[in-house]
Amino acid sequence: KTVRNARYQGAVTAGYSGTITMAFVQVALPVLCTSGPFVASSTSRKSELGTRFFGRRTPSKTNGTRVFVAEGLDVQMAIGSKKVLLVNTESGGHTFIGDYLVRDLINAGHDVTVFKKGKKPATRILPFQTTVEYQKIVSALNVVTGDPSNAQELMDHLGSKRFDVVIDNNGKDVPETEALVQATKHSNPHFVYVSSAGMYKSTDQMPHIEGDPVDVKSGKFLTEQMLAKSGLPFTHLRPVYVFGPLNYRDVENWFFDRIASGRVVPIPGTGAQITNLGHVEDMCSAISAVIDKPEISAGKIYNVSGRKYCTLDALARLCGEAVGVEAQIVHYDPKKFSFGKGKAFPLRDKHFYVSTDKLVRELDWFSAHGLVDGLSESYLYYKTAGRPKNVDFSIDDQILNALSATV
């Protein structure tokens, strides 16, 4: 692919502070970065991390040439531009995926439309993103406002528009996604559905692979089935836990809240339960890989997560490393407690991790973010956001008081 007018403010290699300009150059970027994501030490954005990942490395192969795109690159792709519709959720653990994805799709040269609800911005400024970079993304973005759960509004707003790709990061049940299918099917788009690995049933054979048994009553699974019968080319992505700066959900932040407050971390069971987390930028690069290769990805299901597994205890310790404090861990038997509607722990109390071999093998995708580096970046943003504050530790106290009484 041809990269035109590419300006990278900062560095392609760690420690270089300057401006690199490439004007109409055909370049195989692996020469510039062959192992790991782009790393920068920009003088304008130095952080406590020293050097930090401030972009992503997204592989896309055309005629044997890989092209990598990083934040800060003003990239206009000579070929491969698509009209992409993104419907993003307003709540839940997948919300912030849309903010990163908008940046990545526009930087890759796609014509992006976001269908959003209410007065909230279609995309928010990302952690460590400059105002200039953010405004550049916003100015290139098309926005349609409406209710994605209202079939008539979807038809009114989208029925006359044509898209090459529809990305549904909103639908949790059949009616929501089916309405979106009806409003866009006239252009026969590649329909990319952000599903969930949470549908997998427990098994003695881990990690989960795409053909494993699932909960057939799950709303996400029923939505996948509807799409498979819709006649549209589809791809389903099943993430585990998505983490990274701007995360709405209590994943890494739950651990940070306790460790940064000098509190004990209560973990259910033995703490030996294995899981894996996937960085939000890796999630977005997986979506990009899917839409870049529809001839391979259409009709497929792919698991998405990080390349490393860890136990729940290990996750607590790694979060402690990010904070700079050793995590103090206690274990409890959740069956001995009644928390009502409260939630004592944010992750599943069982082995829950997936293989991403299929995604790597078929789409040449890889996880560019390690768990340690990703958690460090998350904690840096966590501090800039002024956390921890107003955290309710009442359930923790219930657990700790009960454990003290039994000693």
Side-chain angles (χ1 to χ4, degrees), residues 127 245-247 253 378-389:
L246 217 63
N247 195 359
N253 292 337
S378 283
Y379 183 65
L380 178 59
Y381 174 71
Y382 172 95
K383 288 197 300 182
T384 64
R387 295 186 66 169
K389 56 185 176 182

Side-chain angles (χ1 to χ4, degrees), residues 179-207:
L180 183 58
V181 168
Q182 294 304 316
T184 58
K185 66 179 183 180
H186 59 278
S187 53
N188 196 40
H190 182 187
F191 203 104
V192 181
Y193 179 55
V194 181
S195 186
S196 172
M199 69 177 68
Y200 286 121
K201 289 185 174 181
S202 296
T203 176
D204 290 333
Q205 300 184 68
M206 298 292 286

Side-chain angles (χ1 to χ4, degrees), residues 156-179:
D156 290 345
H157 289 299
L158 304 176
S160 62
K161 300 180 184 295
R162 303 190 70 84
F163 299 100
D164 303 305
V165 179
V166 173
I167 302 171
D168 183 5
N169 188 40
N170 175 67
K172 299 176 179 63
D173 294 293
V174 171
E176 292 174 311
T177 299
E178 192 167 32

Side-chain angles (χ1 to χ4, degrees), residues 183-352:
T184 58
K185 66 179 183 180
H186 59 278
S187 53
N188 196 40
H190 182 187
F191 203 104
V192 181
Y193 179 55
V194 181
S195 186
S196 172
M199 69 177 68
Y200 286 121
K201 289 185 174 181
S202 296
T203 176
D204 290 333
Q205 300 184 68
M206 298 292 286
H208 289 299
I209 59 174
E210 288 81 357
D212 281 356
V214 301
D215 176 6
V216 296
K217 295 181 181 180
S218 161
K220 291 279 191 178
F221 174 71
L222 293 173
T223 302
E224 287 185 0
Q225 292 294 98
M226 179 275 296
L227 286 168
K229 298 174 183 177
S230 68
L232 295 178
F234 68 88
T235 304
H236 304 146
L237 292 167
R238 294 176 178 173
V240 183
Y241 301 115
V242 184
F243 81 106
L246 217 63
N247 195 359
Y248 280 92
R249 187 174 178 180
D250 271 343
V251 179
E252 71 272 38
N253 292 337
W254 185 92
F255 293 89
F256 293 157
D257 282 342
R258 284 145 183 83
I259 298 168
S261 299
R263 294 182 62 94
V264 171
V265 181
I267 295 180
T270 65
Q273 307 92 311
I274 300 172
T275 192
N276 57 345
L277 278 60
H279 195 278
V280 61
E281 290 187 329
D282 288 332
M283 180 69 205
C284 293
S285 72
I287 295 173
S288 295
V290 163
I291 67 177
D292 284 349
K293 295 185 177 182
E295 71 283 0
I296 298 175
S297 65
K300 303 287 185 63
I301 299 170
Y302 296 102
N303 291 330
V304 189
S305 197
R307 60 182 179 268
K308 291 285 190 177
Y309 312 140
C310 70
T311 65
L312 297 182
D313 275 6
L315 179 57
R317 290 193 294 268
L318 292 172
C319 287
E321 288 184 21
V323 175
V325 177
E326 183 177 353
Q328 301 300 314
I329 301 169
V330 296
H331 300 112
Y332 65 95
D333 183 354
K335 295 179 181 178
K336 294 182 178 180
F337 293 87
S338 176
F339 302 117
K341 294 183 179 180
K343 194 171 185 179
F345 191 69
L347 310 182
R348 288 169 174 80
D349 178 18
K350 64 176 184 178
H351 294 312
F352 180 51

Side-chain angles (χ1 to χ4, degrees), residues 69-82:
V69 178
E71 179 189 346
L73 280 173
D74 180 11
V75 180
Q76 299 176 12
M77 304 306 294
I79 59 174
S81 177
K82 297 180 180 181

